[in-house]
Structure formats: structure tokens, C-alpha cells
Amino acid sequence: YKLDSHIHCQYSPDSSTKIIELWSDIIKKSIEDKIDIIAISDHNTVEGSEVAIEKTKNIENLLVIPSIEISSSKGHILGFGCEEAVPRDLEPE
């Protein structure tokens, strides 16, 4: 499988890429590049993941993994399978 595990959209302060539209740049590019799995890993929020999952539920051959990029006290951690936001600045453990 081809996976892009670290995508940001407009819910991260470092991205302006929109996920709101059904054929957003992220979804369109993923399909064009034949990527099987994507994870919208926005900083400290799962909103982008939620939108992407909803927008792709009827699109075959593209799986969206719920995820988040958590700002811990020691750096960033990608949390795959996270469906709820994790508070920032916690210890990594």
C-alpha cells in the first residue's frame, strides 16, 4: 500500500490547504498519485481528519486514518487512530 501519513490542512496553523470541498487538493492529489491511505495529522486537532473521513466515505480505494500531530513537552508526536484531541504540552509518556 502507498501511504502519506503526515498531511496538514487548513486546521493546522502551517497550512492553508482546504479539505472542506469534496474534491479538495488533498483528496484529488491522493487519488491522482494512487495513494491508498492518507492521514490528516493536523497540529493539536482532529477536525481535519473528521472532515476527510466524511468526505471520502464513498470514495473507493482511499482510506483515511484518523490522526493528529500532538505538541508534547518534548516535541511533536503523530497519533494514528486518534479520534479526539490530546491536550498539548503533556509529557510524551
Side-chain angles (χ1 to χ4, degrees):
Y1 293 101
K2 204 170 171 184
L3 161 72
D4 189 338
S5 63
H6 193 171
I7 301 171
H8 293 303
C9 69
Q10 81 259 17
Y11 294 101
S12 278
D14 57 351
S15 176
S16 60
T17 305
K18 304 285 187 217
I19 193 71
I20 297 296
E21 298 84 18
L22 174 58
W23 289 105
S24 72
D25 291 341
I26 294 169
I27 296 169
K28 184 177 173 185
K29 184 72 171 150
S30 297
I31 292 169
E32 287 173 0
D33 289 351
K34 296 182 174 31
I35 295 174
D36 304 295
I37 305 164
I38 62 172
I40 307 297
S41 302
D42 288 318
H43 292 275
N44 307 304
T45 181
V46 294
E47 289 181 81
S49 278
E50 291 171 348
V51 171
I53 289 167
E54 179 64 28
K55 297 294 182 187
T56 60
K57 67 182 178 186
N58 294 320
I59 297 176
E60 292 185 30
N61 303 320
L62 182 61
L63 172 66
V64 178
I65 297 174
S67 61
I68 185 173
E69 184 171 348
I70 305 158
S71 297
S72 79
S73 63
K74 303 244 187 322
H76 294 163
I77 300 169
L78 291 178
F80 299 109
C82 289
E83 295 178 348
E84 296 179 11
V86 175
R88 58 181 303 142
D89 302 321
L90 297 174
E91 292 293 316
E93 297 79 21

